[in-house]
Amino acid sequence: MEKVIVVLKTDEADRKNFTDAAPGAQLTFMEPENVRAEDVADADAIIGNVDAALIGSAAKKLRWMQLQNAGTEGFCQKGVLPDGCALTNATGAYGMAISEHMVAMLFALQKRLDVYMAQQNARVWKRREHMFVACGSTVLIIGTGDLGTSFAAKMKAFGCHVIGV
């Protein structure tokens, strides 16, 4: 029987989905801060992020590590994962949400919402510097992965000339 440690926030429905997807596996659901060396010592797979130092010193049977973020967070250094262990991540999972946040922050900065909110709270109404307009502007995006591509599509929809590097 394969031992799988799931280190993600889960509810009953999530746990059922995991159980249905891995019939016969011994699934253990844990919070990251509660994972100890003895928990990972005989794990075949870990889904979610745990301390990389804990893996290197304890998880000798590990065959698969699925991270919950798009990066690898230090898991690629020699000695962190046992030989032959597959490392996968969540590349592509966050582009939509983060690019929407980027658009919101861009417009907040362009429209000086911080200044106007402070004025509103102080009940002071002074005209400020010129507002920037997105339409017709040039947007340079460094990084054209999932996040950069999602952001580029949104800025293009606002009528921007987009350059990706």
Side-chain angles (χ1 to χ4, degrees), residues 6-51:
V6 180
V7 190
L8 304 169
K9 289 187 187 289
T10 57
D11 59 20
E12 254 339 285
D14 295 328
R15 290 185 202 111
K16 182 179 179 340
N17 286 336
F18 273 108
T19 302
D20 291 348
Q26 177 190 341
L27 296 168
T28 304
F29 297 91
M30 306 182 75
E31 295 292 323
E33 61 274 6
N34 296 334
V35 179
R36 298 164 298 156
E38 53 268 22
D39 297 318
V40 300
D42 60 346
D44 295 293
I46 299 174
I47 301 172
N49 294 22
V50 298
D51 184 358

Side-chain angles (χ1 to χ4, degrees), residues 20 22 30 38 45 47-48 52 68 94 108 110 127 130-131 135 148:
D20 291 348
M30 306 182 75
E38 53 268 22
I47 301 172
Q68 68 192 52
Y94 303 107
Q110 279 187 326
R127 185 172 175 92
H130 171 71
M131 296 281 181
C135 186

Side-chain angles (χ1 to χ4, degrees), residues 8 10 14 36 43 58 73-74 76 85 87 103 106 110-111 115 122 128 137 145-146 149 159:
L8 304 169
T10 57
D14 295 328
R36 298 164 298 156
E73 302 300 309
C76 290
C85 180
L87 176 64
V103 169
L106 175 67
Q110 279 187 326
K111 304 304 179 190
V115 172
R128 293 294 181 183
S137 66
D146 179 54
T149 301

